Amino acid sequence: MISNKQAICDTLLQLASEDRSILVLCSDSRGSASASGFAGSLPGQFIELGIAEQNLVSVAAGLASGGMRPFVLAPAAFLSTRSMEQVKVDVCYSGSNVKLIGVSGGVSYGPLGLTHHAVHDIAALGVLPGLRAVSYTHLRAHETGAYL
């Protein structure tokens, strides 16, 4: 059994190997998002933007407007709150083809404290027009989140 985030990254690696328009963007979270394998295998299709979730979402929207197919991987707590305005304007209102994947939702980052808990991500993003919020739970890893 593998975690949901590993299954997502394995699938993205397979798809991106055949489609150069698929990009994975990450916010200093390649390890926690299980994206290290993708970054190592397809470095030209992987962009690490550091701890800058607002920029991460805006860059992804810009790439989408240029015909790329960006997938954003970031901790759910930060993707859902730090970049809320960019998700609303740059992705939803603009109709950008950006896939947002929040990893380690709920309290799965438990030891890192309340700042890393994402207990409101689905509620906050689920009200945005044109954004479909999907939650998945892996009973062993307690991971949630995907905002499509």
Side-chain angles (χ1 to χ4, degrees):
M1 180 181 293
I2 64 172
S3 67
N4 288 326
K5 61 187 177 182
Q6 186 64 57
I8 289 169
C9 285
D10 290 350
T11 301
L12 284 172
L13 178 57
Q14 180 182 6
L15 294 171
S17 295
E18 300 168 6
D19 183 350
R20 300 228 2 109
S21 70
I22 293 176
L23 303 173
V24 170
L25 291 80
C26 207
S27 67
D28 195 34
S29 56
R30 76 174 67 189
S32 60
S34 298
S36 295
F38 188 101
S41 296
L42 297 172
Q45 290 172 256
F46 183 81
I47 303 170
E48 178 76 62
L49 277 93
I51 302 173
E53 289 79 8
Q54 298 95 324
N55 290 336
L56 178 69
V57 172
S58 291
V59 167
L63 289 166
S65 71
M68 303 306 284
R69 297 174 57 200
F71 287 78
V72 171
L73 300 171
F78 308 128
L79 185 58
S80 63
T81 55
R82 293 188 52 80
S83 62
M84 179 72 158
E85 186 71 13
Q86 287 76 19
V87 171
K88 180 177 74 174
V89 176
D90 296 345
V91 175
C92 295
Y93 291 174
S94 300
S96 299
N97 183 19
V98 174
K99 305 299 186 251
L100 305 169
I101 302 169
V103 298
S104 298
V107 295
S108 60
Y109 273 144
L112 296 176
L114 295 174
T115 59
H116 285 63
H117 294 177
V119 296
H120 59 280
D121 54 341
I122 299 296
L125 294 177
V127 299
L128 296 177
L131 187 105
R132 182 177 50 173
V134 178
S135 177
Y136 57 81
T137 301
H138 185 284
L139 296 177
R140 205 168 77 181
H142 303 294
E143 302 168 335
T144 62
Y147 324 108
L148 307 173

